[in-house]
Coordinates of all heavy atoms in Angstrom, one line a residue:
M1 N -37.7 68.2 87.6 CA -36.6 68.9 86.8 C -37.2 70.1 86.2 O -38.2 69.9 85.4 CB -35.9 68.0 85.9 CG -34.6 68.6 85.3 SD -33.7 67.4 84.4 CE -34.3 67.7 82.8
P2 N -36.6 71.3 86.3 CA -37.1 72.5 85.7 C -36.9 72.4 84.1 O -35.9 71.8 83.7 CB -36.4 73.7 86.2 CG -35.2 73.1 86.8 CD -35.5 71.6 87.2
I3 N -37.8 72.9 83.3 CA -37.6 72.9 81.9 C -36.5 73.8 81.4 O -36.3 74.9 82.0 CB -39.0 73.2 81.2 CG1 -38.8 72.9 79.7 CG2 -39.3 74.6 81.3 CD1 -40.1 72.8 78.9
D4 N -35.7 73.3 80.4 CA -34.6 74.1 79.9 C -35.2 75.4 79.3 O -36.1 75.3 78.5 CB -33.9 73.2 78.8 CG -32.7 73.9 78.3 OD1 -32.8 75.0 78.0 OD2 -31.7 73.2 78.3
P5 N -34.6 76.5 79.6 CA -35.3 77.8 79.0 C -35.1 77.9 77.5 O -36.0 78.5 76.9 CB -34.4 78.9 79.7 CG -33.2 78.2 80.4 CD -33.7 76.8 80.6
R6 N -34.1 77.2 76.9 CA -34.1 77.2 75.4 C -35.3 76.4 74.9 O -35.8 76.9 73.8 CB -32.8 76.6 75.0 CG -31.6 77.4 75.4 CD -30.3 76.6 75.1 NE -30.4 75.2 76.0 CZ -29.5 74.3 75.8 NH1 -28.6 74.4 75.0 NH2 -29.7 73.3 76.6
I7 N -35.6 75.4 75.5 CA -36.7 74.6 75.0 C -38.1 75.3 75.2 O -38.9 75.4 74.4 CB -36.8 73.2 75.7 CG1 -35.6 72.4 75.4 CG2 -38.1 72.4 75.3 CD1 -35.5 71.1 76.2
Q8 N -38.2 76.1 76.4 CA -39.4 76.8 76.7 C -39.5 77.9 75.7 O -40.6 78.2 75.1 CB -39.4 77.4 78.1 CG -40.7 78.1 78.5 CD -41.8 77.0 78.5 OE1 -41.8 76.0 79.1 NE2 -42.9 77.4 77.7
A9 N -38.3 78.6 75.3 CA -38.4 79.6 74.3 C -38.8 79.2 72.9 O -39.6 79.8 72.2 CB -37.1 80.4 74.3
A10 N -38.4 77.9 72.6 CA -38.7 77.4 71.3 C -40.2 77.0 71.3 O -40.9 77.1 70.3 CB -37.9 76.1 71.1
L11 N -40.7 76.6 72.4 CA -42.2 76.2 72.6 C -43.0 77.4 72.5 O -44.2 77.4 71.9 CB -42.4 75.5 73.8 CG -41.8 74.1 73.9 CD1 -42.0 73.5 75.3 CD2 -42.5 73.1 72.9
D12 N -42.5 78.6 73.0 CA -43.3 79.8 73.0 C -43.3 80.5 71.7 O -44.2 81.3 71.4 CB -42.7 80.8 74.1 CG -43.0 80.3 75.4 OD1 -43.8 79.4 75.6 OD2 -42.3 80.7 76.4
R13 N -42.3 80.2 70.8 CA -42.1 80.9 69.6 C -43.2 80.3 68.6 O -43.5 79.2 68.6 CB -40.8 80.5 69.0 CG -40.1 81.7 68.3 CD -38.7 81.3 67.8 NE -37.8 81.2 68.9 CZ -37.0 80.1 69.1 NH1 -36.8 79.2 68.1 NH2 -36.2 80.0 70.1
P14 N -43.7 81.3 67.7 CA -44.7 80.8 66.7 C -44.0 79.9 65.7 O -42.9 80.1 65.3 CB -45.2 82.1 66.0 CG -44.1 83.1 66.4 CD -43.5 82.7 67.6
L15 N -44.7 78.8 65.2 CA -44.1 77.9 64.3 C -44.5 78.4 62.8 O -45.5 78.1 62.3 CB -44.8 76.5 64.5 CG -44.4 76.0 65.8 CD1 -45.0 74.6 66.0 CD2 -42.8 75.7 65.8
N16 N -43.6 79.2 62.3 CA -43.8 79.8 61.0 C -43.0 79.0 59.8 O -43.5 79.2 58.7 CB -43.4 81.3 61.0 CG -44.2 82.1 62.0 OD1 -45.3 81.7 62.2 ND2 -43.7 83.2 62.4
G17 N -42.0 78.5 60.1 CA -41.1 77.9 59.1 C -40.0 77.1 59.7 O -39.9 76.8 60.8
K18 N -39.0 76.8 58.8 CA -38.0 75.9 59.1 C -37.0 76.5 60.2 O -36.5 75.8 61.0 CB -37.1 75.7 57.9 CG -37.5 74.5 57.1 CD -36.6 74.4 56.0 CE -36.4 72.9 55.5 NZ -35.5 72.7 54.4
R19 N -36.9 77.8 60.1 CA -35.9 78.5 61.0 C -36.4 78.5 62.5 O -35.6 78.7 63.4 CB -35.6 79.9 60.5 CG -34.9 80.0 59.3 CD -34.7 81.4 58.8 NE -33.8 82.1 59.8 CZ -32.5 82.1 59.8 NH1 -31.8 81.3 58.9 NH2 -31.8 82.8 60.7
T20 N -37.6 78.2 62.8 CA -38.1 78.2 64.1 C -37.7 77.0 64.8 O -37.8 76.9 66.1 CB -39.7 78.4 64.1 OG1 -40.2 77.4 63.4 CG2 -40.1 79.7 63.6
L21 N -37.5 75.9 64.0 CA -37.0 74.6 64.7 C -35.6 74.7 64.9 O -34.7 74.5 64.1 CB -37.3 73.5 63.8 CG -38.9 73.4 63.5 CD1 -39.2 72.2 62.4 CD2 -39.7 73.1 64.8
R22 N -35.1 75.1 66.1 CA -33.7 75.3 66.4 C -33.0 74.1 66.6 O -31.8 73.9 66.3 CB -33.7 76.2 67.7 CG -32.3 76.4 68.2 CD -32.3 77.3 69.3 NE -30.9 77.4 69.8 CZ -30.5 78.2 70.7 NH1 -31.3 79.0 71.3 NH2 -29.2 78.3 71.2
F23 N -33.6 73.0 67.2 CA -32.8 71.8 67.4 C -33.1 70.8 66.4 O -34.2 70.6 65.9 CB -33.3 71.2 68.8 CG -33.1 72.0 69.9 CD1 -34.1 72.8 70.5 CD2 -31.8 72.3 70.5 CE1 -33.9 73.6 71.6 CE2 -31.5 73.1 71.5 CZ -32.7 73.8 72.0
R24 N -32.0 70.3 65.7 CA -32.2 69.4 64.5 C -31.8 67.9 64.9 O -30.8 67.7 65.7 CB -31.3 69.9 63.4 CG -31.5 71.3 63.1 CD -31.8 71.5 61.6 NE -32.0 72.9 61.3 CZ -33.2 73.4 61.3 NH1 -34.2 72.8 61.7 NH2 -33.4 74.7 61.0
M25 N -32.5 67.0 64.5 CA -32.2 65.6 64.6 C -30.9 65.3 63.8 O -30.8 65.8 62.8 CB -33.3 64.7 64.1 CG -34.5 64.7 65.1 SD -34.1 64.1 66.7 CE -33.6 62.4 66.4
V26 N -30.0 64.6 64.5 CA -28.9 64.2 63.8 C -28.8 62.6 63.8 O -29.0 62.1 64.9 CB -27.6 64.8 64.5 CG1 -26.3 64.3 63.8 CG2 -27.8 66.2 64.6
R27 N -28.5 62.0 62.7 CA -28.4 60.5 62.7 C -27.4 60.0 63.7 O -26.3 60.6 63.8 CB -28.1 60.0 61.3 CG -29.1 60.3 60.3 CD -28.9 59.6 59.0 NE -29.1 58.1 59.1 CZ -28.3 57.3 58.5 NH1 -27.4 57.7 57.5 NH2 -28.5 56.0 58.5
G28 N -27.8 59.0 64.4 CA -26.9 58.4 65.5 C -27.2 58.8 66.8 O -26.8 58.1 67.8
Y29 N -27.9 59.9 66.9 CA -28.3 60.5 68.3 C -29.7 60.2 68.5 O -30.5 60.4 67.6 CB -28.0 62.0 68.4 CG -26.5 62.3 68.2 CD1 -26.0 62.4 67.0 CD2 -25.7 62.4 69.4 CE1 -24.6 62.8 66.8 CE2 -24.4 62.8 69.2 CZ -23.9 62.9 67.9 OH -22.5 63.1 67.7
V30 N -30.1 59.7 69.6 CA -31.5 59.3 69.9 C -32.5 60.4 69.8 O -33.6 60.2 69.5 CB -31.7 58.4 71.1 CG1 -31.4 59.2 72.4 CG2 -32.9 57.7 71.1
A31 N -32.0 61.6 70.3 CA -32.9 62.9 70.2 C -31.9 63.9 69.7 O -30.7 63.8 69.7 CB -33.4 63.1 71.6
A32 N -32.6 65.1 69.4 CA -31.8 66.2 68.9 C -30.8 66.7 69.9 O -31.2 67.0 71.0 CB -32.8 67.4 68.6
P33 N -29.5 66.8 69.5 CA -28.5 67.4 70.5 C -28.8 68.7 70.9 O -29.2 69.6 70.1 CB -27.2 67.3 69.6 CG -27.4 66.2 68.7 CD -28.9 66.3 68.3
G34 N -28.6 69.1 72.1 CA -28.8 70.4 72.6 C -30.1 70.5 73.4 O -30.3 71.6 74.0
T35 N -30.8 69.5 73.4 CA -32.2 69.6 74.0 C -32.1 69.1 75.5 O -33.1 69.0 76.2 CB -33.3 68.8 73.3 OG1 -32.8 67.3 73.1 CG2 -33.5 69.3 71.9
G36 N -30.9 68.6 75.9 CA -30.8 68.1 77.3 C -30.3 69.2 78.3 O -30.3 70.4 78.0
P37 N -29.8 68.8 79.5 CA -29.4 69.7 80.4 C -28.2 70.5 80.0 O -27.3 70.1 79.3 CB -28.9 68.8 81.6 CG -29.6 67.5 81.4 CD -29.7 67.4 79.8
I38 N -28.3 71.8 80.4 CA -27.1 72.7 80.0 C -25.8 72.3 80.6 O -25.8 72.0 81.8 CB -27.5 74.2 80.4 CG1 -28.7 74.7 79.6 CG2 -26.3 75.1 80.2 CD1 -29.3 76.0 80.1
G39 N -24.8 72.3 79.8 CA -23.5 72.0 80.3 C -23.1 70.5 80.2 O -22.0 70.1 80.4
E40 N -24.1 69.7 79.9 CA -23.8 68.2 79.9 C -23.6 67.9 78.4 O -24.1 68.4 77.5 CB -25.0 67.5 80.5 CG -25.3 67.7 81.9 CD -24.2 67.3 82.8 OE1 -23.3 66.6 82.5 OE2 -24.3 67.7 84.0
T41 N -22.9 66.8 78.2 CA -22.6 66.2 76.9 C -22.8 64.7 76.8 O -23.0 64.1 77.9 CB -21.1 66.4 76.5 OG1 -20.2 65.8 77.4 CG2 -20.8 68.0 76.5
C42 N -22.6 64.1 75.7 CA -22.7 62.7 75.7 C -21.6 62.0 76.5 O -21.8 60.8 76.8 CB -22.6 62.3 74.2 SG -24.0 62.7 73.1
H43 N -20.5 62.7 76.7 CA -19.5 62.2 77.5 C -19.9 61.7 78.9 O -19.4 60.9 79.4 CB -18.4 63.2 77.5 CG -17.1 62.8 78.2 ND1 -16.2 62.0 77.6 CD2 -16.7 62.8 79.5 CE1 -15.2 61.6 78.4 NE2 -15.5 62.2 79.6
T44 N -20.9 62.5 79.5 CA -21.3 62.2 80.9 C -22.6 61.4 80.8 O -23.3 61.2 81.9 CB -21.5 63.4 81.6 OG1 -22.4 64.3 81.0 CG2 -20.1 64.1 81.9
C45 N -23.0 60.9 79.7 CA -24.3 60.2 79.6 C -24.1 58.7 79.8 O -23.2 58.1 79.3 CB -25.0 60.5 78.2 SG -26.5 59.6 78.1
R46 N -25.0 58.1 80.5 CA -25.0 56.6 80.7 C -25.3 55.8 79.4 O -25.0 54.6 79.4 CB -25.9 56.2 81.8 CG -27.4 56.3 81.5 CD -28.2 56.0 82.7 NE -28.2 54.5 82.9 CZ -29.2 53.7 82.6 NH1 -30.3 54.2 82.1 NH2 -29.2 52.4 82.8
H47 N -25.9 56.4 78.5 CA -26.3 55.7 77.3 C -25.1 55.6 76.2 O -25.2 54.9 75.2 CB -27.5 56.4 76.6 CG -28.7 56.4 77.4 ND1 -29.3 55.3 77.9 CD2 -29.5 57.4 77.9 CE1 -30.3 55.5 78.6 NE2 -30.4 56.8 78.7
A48 N -24.1 56.4 76.4 CA -22.9 56.3 75.4 C -22.2 55.0 75.7 O -21.9 54.7 76.8 CB -22.0 57.5 75.6
E49 N -22.0 54.2 74.6 CA -21.4 52.9 74.7 C -20.1 52.9 73.8 O -20.3 53.3 72.7 CB -22.4 51.8 74.3 CG -23.5 51.7 75.2 CD -24.6 50.7 74.7 OE1 -24.3 50.0 73.6 OE2 -25.6 50.6 75.2
P50 N -19.0 52.3 74.2 CA -17.8 52.2 73.4 C -18.0 51.0 72.5 O -18.8 50.1 72.7 CB -16.7 51.9 74.4 CG -17.5 51.2 75.6 CD -18.8 51.8 75.7
L51 N -17.5 51.2 71.2 CA -17.6 50.2 70.2 C -16.6 49.1 70.3 O -16.8 47.9 70.0 CB -17.5 50.9 68.9 CG -18.8 51.2 68.1 CD1 -18.5 51.7 66.8 CD2 -19.7 49.9 68.0
G52 N -15.4 49.5 70.8 CA -14.3 48.5 70.9 C -13.6 48.6 72.2 O -13.9 49.5 73.1
C53 N -12.6 47.8 72.4 CA -11.8 47.8 73.7 C -11.0 49.1 73.8 O -10.7 49.5 74.9 CB -10.9 46.6 73.7 SG -11.9 45.1 73.8
D54 N -10.7 49.7 72.7 CA -9.8 51.0 72.8 C -10.6 52.1 73.2 O -10.0 53.2 73.5 CB -9.0 51.1 71.5 CG -10.0 51.3 70.3 OD1 -11.3 51.3 70.5 OD2 -9.5 51.5 69.2
R55 N -12.0 52.0 73.2 CA -12.8 53.2 73.6 C -12.6 54.4 72.8 O -12.6 55.5 73.4 CB -12.7 53.4 75.1 CG -13.0 52.1 75.9 CD -12.7 52.2 77.4 NE -13.6 53.1 78.1 CZ -14.7 52.8 78.6 NH1 -15.1 51.5 78.5 NH2 -15.5 53.6 79.2
R56 N -12.2 54.3 71.5 CA -12.1 55.5 70.7 C -13.4 55.9 70.0 O -13.6 57.0 69.7 CB -11.0 55.3 69.6 CG -9.6 55.2 70.2 CD -8.6 55.1 69.1 NE -7.3 55.0 69.7 CZ -6.3 54.8 69.0 NH1 -6.3 54.6 67.7 NH2 -5.0 54.8 69.5
E57 N -14.2 54.9 69.7 CA -15.4 55.1 68.9 C -16.6 54.8 69.8 O -16.6 53.8 70.5 CB -15.5 54.3 67.6 CG -14.4 54.7 66.7 CD -14.4 53.8 65.5 OE1 -14.8 52.6 65.6 OE2 -14.0 54.3 64.4
W58 N -17.6 55.6 69.8 CA -18.8 55.5 70.7 C -20.0 55.6 69.9 O -20.1 56.2 68.8 CB -18.7 56.6 71.7 CG -17.6 56.6 72.6 CD1 -16.3 56.9 72.4 CD2 -17.6 56.1 74.0 NE1 -15.5 56.6 73.5 CE2 -16.2 56.1 74.4 CE3 -18.6 55.6 74.9 CZ2 -15.9 55.7 75.8 CZ3 -18.3 55.2 76.1 CH2 -16.8 55.3 76.6
I59 N -21.1 54.9 70.5 CA -22.3 55.0 69.8 C -23.3 55.4 71.0 O -23.1 55.3 72.1 CB -22.8 53.6 69.2 CG1 -22.9 52.5 70.3 CG2 -21.9 53.2 68.1 CD1 -23.7 51.3 69.8
C60 N -24.5 55.8 70.5 CA -25.6 56.1 71.4 C -26.4 54.7 71.6 O -27.0 54.3 70.7 CB -26.5 57.2 70.9 SG -27.9 57.6 71.9
G61 N -26.5 54.2 72.8 CA -27.1 53.0 73.1 C -28.5 52.8 72.6 O -28.8 51.8 71.9
P62 N -29.4 53.8 72.9 CA -30.7 53.6 72.5 C -31.0 53.6 70.9 O -32.0 53.0 70.6 CB -31.4 54.8 73.1 CG -30.6 55.2 74.2 CD -29.2 54.8 73.8
V63 N -30.0 54.1 70.3 CA -30.2 54.1 68.7 C -29.9 52.7 68.3 O -30.6 52.0 67.5 CB -29.2 55.1 68.1 CG1 -29.2 54.8 66.6 CG2 -29.6 56.5 68.5
G64 N -28.8 52.1 68.9 CA -28.5 50.7 68.7 C -28.0 50.3 67.3 O -27.8 49.1 66.9
D65 N -27.6 51.3 66.5 CA -26.9 51.1 65.2 C -25.4 51.3 65.3 O -24.9 52.4 65.6 CB -27.5 52.1 64.2 CG -27.0 51.7 62.7 OD1 -26.0 51.1 62.6 OD2 -27.8 52.2 61.9
H66 N -24.7 50.2 65.2 CA -23.3 50.2 65.4 C -22.5 51.0 64.3 O -21.3 51.1 64.4 CB -22.8 48.9 65.6 CG -23.1 48.4 67.0 ND1 -22.3 47.5 67.7 CD2 -24.2 48.6 67.8 CE1 -22.9 47.1 68.8 NE2 -24.0 47.8 68.9
T67 N -23.1 51.3 63.2 CA -22.5 52.0 62.2 C -22.6 53.5 62.3 O -21.9 54.3 61.6 CB -23.2 51.6 60.8 OG1 -24.5 52.0 60.8 CG2 -23.0 50.2 60.5
L68 N -23.4 54.0 63.2 CA -23.7 55.5 63.4 C -22.9 55.9 64.6 O -23.4 55.7 65.8 CB -25.1 55.8 63.6 CG -25.9 55.5 62.3 CD1 -27.4 55.7 62.6 CD2 -25.5 56.4 61.2
K69 N -21.7 56.4 64.6 CA -20.8 56.8 65.7 C -21.2 58.2 66.1 O -21.7 59.0 65.3 CB -19.4 56.7 65.4 CG -19.0 55.2 65.0 CD -17.6 55.1 64.4 CE -17.3 53.7 64.0 NZ -18.2 53.4 62.8
I70 N -21.0 58.4 67.4 CA -21.3 59.7 68.0 C -20.0 60.4 68.4 O -19.0 59.8 68.7 CB -22.3 59.7 69.1 CG1 -21.8 58.9 70.3 CG2 -23.7 59.1 68.7 CD1 -22.5 59.0 71.6
D71 N -20.1 61.7 68.5 CA -19.0 62.6 69.0 C -19.4 62.8 70.5 O -20.5 63.5 70.8 CB -18.8 63.9 68.2 CG -17.8 64.8 68.7 OD1 -17.2 64.4 69.8 OD2 -17.6 65.8 68.1
R72 N -18.6 62.4 71.4 CA -19.0 62.5 72.8 C -19.0 63.9 73.3 O -19.4 64.2 74.4 CB -18.1 61.6 73.7 CG -18.5 60.1 73.6 CD -18.1 59.3 74.7 NE -16.7 59.5 75.0 CZ -16.2 59.1 76.2 NH1 -16.9 58.7 77.1 NH2 -14.9 59.3 76.4
S73 N -18.4 64.9 72.5 CA -18.4 66.2 73.0 C -19.7 67.0 72.6 O -19.9 68.2 72.8 CB -17.2 67.0 72.4 OG -17.3 67.0 71.0
T74 N -20.6 66.2 71.9 CA -21.9 66.9 71.5 C -22.7 67.2 72.7 O -22.7 66.5 73.7 CB -22.6 65.8 70.6 OG1 -21.7 65.4 69.6 CG2 -23.9 66.4 70.0
K75 N -23.4 68.3 72.6 CA -24.3 68.6 73.8 C -25.4 67.5 74.0 O -25.8 66.9 73.0 CB -25.1 70.0 73.4 CG -24.1 71.2 73.4 CD -24.8 72.5 73.1 CE -24.0 73.6 73.0 NZ -24.6 74.8 72.5
A76 N -25.8 67.4 75.2 CA -26.7 66.4 75.6 C -28.0 66.5 75.0 O -28.5 67.6 74.8 CB -26.8 66.3 77.2
C77 N -28.7 65.4 74.8 CA -30.1 65.3 74.2 C -31.1 65.1 75.4 O -30.6 65.0 76.6 CB -30.2 64.3 73.2 SG -30.4 62.6 73.9
S78 N -32.3 65.2 75.0 CA -33.4 65.1 76.1 C -33.4 63.8 76.7 O -34.0 63.6 77.8 CB -34.7 65.4 75.4 OG -35.0 64.5 74.4
R79 N -32.8 62.8 76.2 CA -32.8 61.4 76.8 C -31.5 61.2 77.7 O -31.3 60.1 78.2 CB -32.7 60.3 75.7 CG -33.9 60.3 74.9 CD -35.0 59.4 75.6 NE -34.7 58.1 75.7 CZ -34.8 57.1 74.8 NH1 -35.3 57.4 73.6 NH2 -34.4 55.9 75.0
W80 N -30.7 62.3 78.0 CA -29.5 62.2 78.8 C -29.8 61.8 80.1 O -30.7 62.1 80.8 CB -28.8 63.6 78.8 CG -27.6 63.5 79.6 CD1 -26.3 63.4 79.2 CD2 -27.5 63.9 81.0 NE1 -25.4 63.5 80.2 CE2 -26.1 63.8 81.3 CE3 -28.3 64.3 82.0 CZ2 -25.6 64.1 82.6 CZ3 -27.9 64.5 83.3 CH2 -26.5 64.4 83.6
E81 N -28.9 60.9 80.7 CA -29.0 60.5 82.1 C -27.5 60.4 82.5 O -26.7 59.9 81.9 CB -29.7 59.1 82.3 CG -31.2 59.1 82.0 CD -31.7 57.6 82.2 OE1 -31.4 57.0 83.2 OE2 -32.5 57.3 81.3
R82 N -27.3 60.8 83.8 CA -26.0 60.8 84.3 C -25.4 59.4 84.4 O -26.0 58.5 84.9 CB -25.9 61.5 85.6 CG -24.5 61.6 86.2 CD -24.4 62.4 87.4 NE -24.7 63.9 87.2 CZ -24.0 64.8 86.5 NH1 -22.8 64.3 86.1 NH2 -24.5 65.9 86.3
S83 N -24.1 59.4 83.9 CA -23.4 58.1 84.0 C -22.9 58.0 85.4 O -22.6 58.9 86.1 CB -22.3 58.1 83.0 OG -21.3 57.1 83.4
K84 N -22.9 56.7 85.9 CA -22.5 56.5 87.3 C -20.9 56.7 87.4 O -20.4 56.8 88.4 CB -22.9 55.1 87.9 CG -22.4 54.0 87.1 CD -22.9 52.7 87.6 CE -22.5 51.5 86.8 NZ -23.2 50.3 87.2
H85 N -20.2 56.8 86.2 CA -18.8 56.9 86.3 C -18.5 58.4 86.1 O -17.4 58.8 86.4 CB -18.2 56.3 85.0 CG -18.5 54.7 85.1 ND1 -18.0 53.9 86.1 CD2 -19.2 53.9 84.3 CE1 -18.5 52.7 85.9 NE2 -19.2 52.7 84.8
A86 N -19.4 59.3 85.7 CA -19.1 60.7 85.6 C -19.1 61.3 86.9 O -19.9 61.0 87.8 CB -20.2 61.3 84.6
R87 N -18.4 62.5 87.1 CA -18.3 63.1 88.4 C -19.2 64.3 88.3 O -19.6 64.8 87.3 CB -16.9 63.7 88.6 CG -16.0 62.6 88.8 CD -14.6 63.2 89.1 NE -13.7 62.2 88.8 CZ -12.4 62.4 88.6 NH1 -11.9 63.6 88.6 NH2 -11.5 61.4 88.3
Ligands
SF4_101 S1 -26.9 62.4 75.5 FE1 -26.9 60.2 75.8 S2 -28.9 59.5 75.0 FE2 -28.5 61.6 74.1 S3 -27.5 61.2 72.1 FE3 -25.8 61.4 73.8 S4 -25.4 59.4 74.5 FE4 -27.4 59.3 73.3

């Protein structure tokens, strides 16, 4: 898989301070949102798990903390894998 150009640009940039770290870790997400494939979201990731039968609240499976809910419209992280239910 080719490397995401945003990640390559971040790697090429000199590390001078806080502003150079473009992708920020967010609690509840296993890796920094936005570091995954372009155009993909947690909605199409196989790791997103519903909390209840109504499928309104979701968590990131690898995090394993049921108190940290995720927004499935968030950009995919580097651990994203296509869900077999996604088209
Ligand atoms: S893309 Fe998948 S692995 Fe990454 S935070 Fe979202 S649900 Fe978790």
